[in-house]
Amino acid sequence: MEPGEAQNPLTQLRRGVIEYCVLALLTTDELYGFDLVKRLGESDSLVTSEGTIYPLLSRLRRVGWVTTTWRESESGPPRRYYAITAAGRHALAGFTSEWTRFRDSVDGLLASGDSNGAHRG
Amino acid sequence: MEPTVADPLVEDYLRRLEAAAVVLTPDRREDLLASIREHLDAARTSGEAHDEASTRALLDRLGEPAELVAAAGEQDDDGSPGGGAAAPGPVAYRRPGIGLEVAAALLLTAGSIVAVVGWLVGVVLVWTSRRWTLAEKLLATLVVPGGPALALWLSVLVSGQSQCTTTTKTDGAGNSIDLTSCEPSGALPAPYGLLLFLFWVVAPIVVAGILVHRARVRADREPPVAYYPGSQSRWGALEIAAVLLLGLGSFVLPFIGGAAGLMCAWLSDQWTRTEKWVATVIAVVGFVLPILVFVVLLAAFGGE
């Protein structure tokens, strides 16, 4: 890993947050891997390497936050669909309230830093 | 629409991913490979990877194989989301090893001492490697069948035998006398014998050396291999070859077998310097021991 990449604070942050984004996407729809990855990829700055979503999905399955089912597709081989479980919804709800407070605090501090800088300038 | 991925770009990507994924447990590896194959199949079915440019873009978005493998290795089942805390330490990268190729070269040359079996195993390994071209594989197989040791064994056998010719002469009294003369048979006149020896013994060693060098150069062009320091098995083909040669090589052919094992040991990037020195001491013992056995046997039977 490049030293610069390791020092990017968002790399660590993304890693911790992205699985909740996956859970959030699954609250409304069951999705198969390719669609799920594409939707995450469409959000700006969220995913740097789409392939890394798959190990994360495996982990979510192992801890019981998502389940998978194989379904026939009209074109090509069967596809693995991901669905959120009750435990997954519970985890997402917990994270959502924590994240809202965290985000507001960070935003507030960053905004005050901005206005201080503006006063000086 | 083609249900399986057959594009050379995609195939190359999957091959690199498979190679990088060897550090994962079998479960994780299968999981990752199956998911990525499914993703690529789905992309193809949806018409997203219809030409070279779009296929490249698709693979770029997926990320480097090493990166994916690192992510798969990080996902630990400790129940803590994020998984960072339980990851087995930072990912490191090393140059791809050429254990297979080195083992093949050693078996083709030094390994041929174990009758033809060593050489045959070497040939199998040569054809298993994907770092050599067809022409190089043929060269390794045909120069020379049986390996250099076969020539040595044969020359020992041939020179050990004597060739006897019997001529019948008639003496003055009309009695026939059988005259038998025995000479050690040099199968070929000296200059041809020397040339044959050079071809049979030196050529395979030269070929093996060149092929190992080429494998090294090609391996260095491959992407670095991701691994977790300390968690990876330290028993690659090179290490196993080193132990076998150090253990058995000296008994089969004093000095050369042990020296080959020593070379393997010092080429290893998995062993520490201390471990390599231990191996060296073992090799020296392995070199001295057969000589001692020989001396003892000579003392025991030499008197008769």
Side-chain angles (χ1 to χ4, degrees):
Chain A
M1 194 176 279
E2 294 290 315
E5 201 179 326
Q7 280 156 14
N8 184 345
L10 282 187
T11 309
Q12 292 294 330
L13 195 55
R14 268 194 203 103
R15 207 172 282 172
V17 165
I18 203 138
E19 55 195 76
Y20 296 100
C21 300
V22 169
L23 291 178
L25 274 177
L26 292 174
T27 49
T28 46
D29 276 317
E30 287 189 20
L31 293 169
Y32 79 101
F34 181 67
D35 254 359
L36 187 64
V37 167
K38 258 176 77 173
R39 290 218 197 160
L40 283 171
E42 281 162 9
S43 302
D44 184 36
S45 167
L46 200 55
V47 183
T48 46
S49 301
E50 292 180 350
T52 57
I53 302 295
Y54 287 104
L56 188 142
L57 283 168
S58 300
R59 198 188 89 80
L60 291 180
R61 199 186 63 229
R62 287 196 298 272
V63 298
W65 287 1
V66 303
T67 53
T68 55
T69 43
W70 286 95
R71 282 198 214 146
E72 293 297 324
S73 71
E74 56 272 34
S75 53
R79 288 166 173 175
R80 194 164 17 185
Y81 275 77
Y82 294 85
I84 191 168
T85 63
R89 284 180 197 279
H90 186 74
L92 178 62
F95 175 80
T96 307
S97 70
E98 288 258 6
W99 173 258
T100 313
R101 285 164 52 209
F102 173 79
R103 182 199 60 198
D104 289 347
S105 303
V106 174
D107 281 354
L109 283 168
L110 290 181
S112 73
D114 259 4
S115 54
N116 286 347
H119 283 308
R120 259 187 261 126
Chain B
M1 192 60 69
E2 191 70 34
T4 52
V5 279
D7 194 276
L9 274 174
V10 169
E11 268 179 13
D12 178 66
Y13 183 87
L14 285 172
R15 219 192 51 212
R16 287 192 295 133
L17 183 63
E18 273 172 40
V22 293
V23 295
L24 298 175
T25 60
D27 279 4
R28 301 278 166 95
R29 183 166 57 228
E30 261 323 296
D31 219 25
L32 178 66
L33 289 170
S35 301
I36 298 300
R37 281 200 198 99
E38 210 184 308
H39 182 94
L40 293 169
D41 275 342
R44 166 128 343 176
T45 315
S46 71
E48 202 170 292
H50 50 86
D51 60 8
E52 194 185 318
S54 58
T55 306
R56 277 191 200 284
L58 174 77
L59 297 176
D60 276 353
R61 281 203 308 278
L62 268 179
E64 271 300 307
E67 206 179 336
L68 271 53
V69 169
E74 265 169 29
Q75 302 292 341
D76 257 56
D77 295 322
D78 62 344
S80 76
V91 174
Y93 294 89
R94 61 177 170 80
R95 66 208 285 231
I98 52 161
L100 176 75
E101 286 78 12
V102 170
L106 285 171
L107 283 165
L108 284 181
T109 51
S112 61
I113 290 145
V114 190
V116 191
V117 181
W119 181 82
L120 278 178
V121 177
V123 169
V124 172
L125 290 187
V126 163
W127 289 90
T128 316
S129 170
R130 53 185 173 76
R131 296 204 178 102
W132 285 324
T133 64
L134 181 66
E136 286 164 350
K137 287 175 180 179
L138 281 173
L139 184 71
T141 312
L142 297 176
V143 181
V144 289
L150 188 67
L152 290 176
W153 284 130
L154 284 179
S155 69
V156 167
L157 283 177
V158 169
S159 63
Q161 284 173 349
S162 302
Q163 209 165 38
C164 295
T165 48
T166 306
T167 45
T168 309
K169 285 186 177 175
T170 312
D171 64 6
N175 300 320
S176 61
I177 300 167
D178 285 349
L179 292 174
T180 305
S181 62
C182 290
E183 282 172 5
S185 73
L188 286 164
Y192 296 107
L194 187 68
L195 280 176
L196 195 66
F197 176 82
L198 279 179
F199 171 71
W200 214 325
V201 177
V202 179
I205 295 172
V206 172
V207 167
I210 292 170
L211 290 196
V212 165
H213 174 70
R214 288 189 176 181
R216 182 69 265 168
V217 170
R218 279 165 202 164
D220 281 341
R221 280 191 223 125
E222 293 168 20
V225 179
Y227 74 105
Y228 292 112
S231 71
Q232 199 201 14
S233 159
R234 286 147 36 104
W235 291 97
L238 189 67
E239 287 73 24
I240 292 168
V243 168
L244 284 178
L245 283 167
L246 286 174
L248 303 169
S250 290
F251 288 96
V252 182
L253 192 79
F255 188 65
I256 294 180
L262 214 54
M263 200 174 86
C264 282
W266 282 94
L267 276 172
S268 166
D269 50 7
Q270 298 295 315
W271 288 347
T272 62
R273 192 160 283 270
T274 320
E275 288 165 337
K276 287 175 182 178
W277 276 113
V278 171
T280 308
V281 171
I282 293 172
V284 171
V285 172
F287 170 52
V288 173
L289 209 59
I291 294 175
L292 280 179
V293 170
F294 180 72
V295 168
V296 168
L297 285 177
L298 204 68
F301 297 104
E304 290 172 21

